């Protein structure tokens, strides 16, 4: 009888341990796939591509405000029209980056000349360092938008090449699956470069004893826009 009770206790422990491992694994998977889960949620709950694009635009404006709180001058993201030109191959990465670089320099100069208290040399150097890195982040964004644009063109070409009777949702999904691996590889590559930029900014701020909260805010903003972008591409399957 005692042995039977002991076996029962052991069995219960094993079950509890298995459940705990499963629970932890589920949490880890959710964290790992959190951006995709959020993207699917946006896809399922936001009514149209236009509304998703509006949310993306709002995210860009919010990020611009975040950066402007830390530096003199304005570093903006690309407009919806500029992004379209990049994805369509009508504007190069260098041209797109140059536009926002020149706009920042003008805004920084204007901010400096209108300020009653001129910034210290250290502050100006750090401002430029942050701005240059954020602009580099947008430069990477331009490059990967261009790459995704090429993938989108290839996918559309494959779809149009199908006989009219075969242009169904299932065929669309099959074409998307065909290019999904390449798109995911680009995304992982982009994530790595963004992480390197954020680490660089954080290191610089820490070395100068400055507030590093901008790093977390920019990361959160990047993740939010990434989820919305994924939702946008998902929405293309509807039309």
């Amino acid at each position: 009888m005692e042995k039977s009770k002991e076996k029962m206790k052991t069995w219960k422990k094993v079950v509890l341990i298995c459940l705990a491992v499963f629970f932890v694994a589920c949490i880890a998977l959710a964290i790992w796939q959190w951006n995709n889960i959020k993207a699917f949620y946006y896809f399922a709950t936001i009514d149209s591509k236009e509304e998703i694009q509006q949310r993306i635009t709002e995210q860009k404006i919010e990020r611009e405000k975040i950066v402007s709180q830390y530096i003199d001058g304005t570093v903006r993201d690309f407009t919806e029209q500029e992004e379209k030109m990049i994805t369509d191959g009508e504007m190069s990465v260098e041209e797109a980056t140059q536009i926002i670089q020149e706009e920042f320099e003008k805004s920084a100069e204007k901010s400096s000349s209108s300020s009653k208290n001129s910034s210290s040399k250290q502050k100006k150097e750090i401002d430029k360092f942050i701005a240059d890195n954020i602009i580099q982040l947008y430069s990477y964004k331009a490059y990967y938008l261009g790459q995704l644009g090429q993938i989108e063109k290839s996918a559309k070409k494959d779809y149009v090449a199908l006989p009219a009777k075969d242009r169904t949702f299932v065929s669309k999904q099959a074409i998307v699956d065909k290019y999904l691996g390449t798109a995911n590889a680009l995304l992982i590559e982009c994530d790595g470069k963004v992480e390197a930029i954020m680490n660089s900014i954080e290191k610089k701020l820490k070395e100068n004893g400055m507030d590093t909260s901008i790093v977390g805010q920019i990361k959160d903003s990047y993740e939010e826009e990434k989820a919305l972008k994924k939702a946008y591409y998902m929405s293309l399957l509807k039309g």
Side-chain angles (χ1 to χ4, degrees), residues 202-223:
E202 185 173 34
K203 181 182 177 183
K204 184 74 170 179
L205 292 174
K206 282 182 176 179
E207 287 173 351
N208 288 273
M210 299 180 73
D211 178 21
T212 62
S213 58
I214 185 177
V215 175
Q217 291 175 298
I218 295 295
K219 281 183 180 179
D220 290 345
S221 178
Y222 169 75
E223 289 296 321

Side-chain angles (χ1 to χ4, degrees), residues 14-51:
V14 170
V15 170
L16 287 172
I17 290 170
C18 288
L19 286 172
V21 170
F22 176 73
F23 182 66
V24 170
C26 286
I27 292 174
L29 181 62
I31 292 171
W32 179 48
Q33 290 291 329
W34 180 245
N35 196 263
N36 289 333
I37 293 169
K38 188 185 281 190
F40 186 79
Y41 172 77
Y42 288 149
F43 166 70
T45 58
I46 300 177
D47 293 333
S48 65
K49 296 191 292 289
E50 292 72 26
E51 190 177 344

Side-chain angles (χ1 to χ4, degrees), residues 99-118:
I99 289 171
I100 57 176
Q101 177 73 50
E102 288 177 356
E103 287 189 16
F104 162 68
E105 289 171 358
K106 288 178 182 177
S107 67
E109 187 178 337
K110 184 178 179 181
S111 177
S112 178
S113 62
S114 63
S115 177
K116 292 181 181 179
N117 299 313
S118 59

Side-chain angles (χ1 to χ4, degrees), residues 89-239:
E90 296 173 7
M91 182 184 288
S92 70
V93 173
E94 293 75 19
E95 288 170 336
T97 306
Q98 187 65 24
I99 289 171
I100 57 176
Q101 177 73 50
E102 288 177 356
E103 287 189 16
F104 162 68
E105 289 171 358
K106 288 178 182 177
S107 67
E109 187 178 337
K110 184 178 179 181
S111 177
S112 178
S113 62
S114 63
S115 177
K116 292 181 181 179
N117 299 313
S118 59
S119 300
S120 67
K121 183 180 178 182
Q122 181 196 34
K123 175 68 166 58
K124 287 179 180 178
E125 287 177 353
I126 293 173
D127 280 4
K128 187 176 185 308
F129 181 84
I130 292 174
D132 286 348
N133 275 273
I134 297 297
I135 290 169
Q136 181 61 60
L137 186 150
Y138 292 152
S139 177
Y140 287 144
K141 179 181 179 180
Y143 170 76
Y144 288 106
L145 280 173
Q147 295 298 303
L148 288 173
Q150 292 302 310
I151 291 173
E152 187 179 346
K153 281 181 183 177
S154 296
K156 285 180 178 177
K157 187 177 179 181
D158 287 356
Y159 183 72
V160 171
L162 293 172
K165 64 182 178 62
D166 294 332
R167 294 175 192 170
T168 63
F169 179 84
V170 173
S171 63
K172 275 187 181 182
Q173 187 61 58
I175 291 170
V176 168
D177 290 343
K178 174 183 174 182
Y179 293 100
L180 193 58
T182 303
N184 281 335
L186 287 169
L187 183 60
I188 291 169
E189 193 177 294
C190 184
D191 283 348
K193 290 184 177 180
V194 170
E195 185 67 20
I197 285 176
M198 293 297 99
N199 289 342
S200 180
I201 292 175
E202 185 173 34
K203 181 182 177 183
K204 184 74 170 179
L205 292 174
K206 282 182 176 179
E207 287 173 351
N208 288 273
M210 299 180 73
D211 178 21
T212 62
S213 58
I214 185 177
V215 175
Q217 291 175 298
I218 295 295
K219 281 183 180 179
D220 290 345
S221 178
Y222 169 75
E223 289 296 321
E224 183 69 10
E225 185 178 350
K226 183 168 69 173
L228 286 164
K229 273 288 185 186
K230 287 178 182 177
Y232 177 81
Y233 281 110
M234 288 180 196
S235 72
L236 295 178
L237 287 171
K238 292 181 181 178

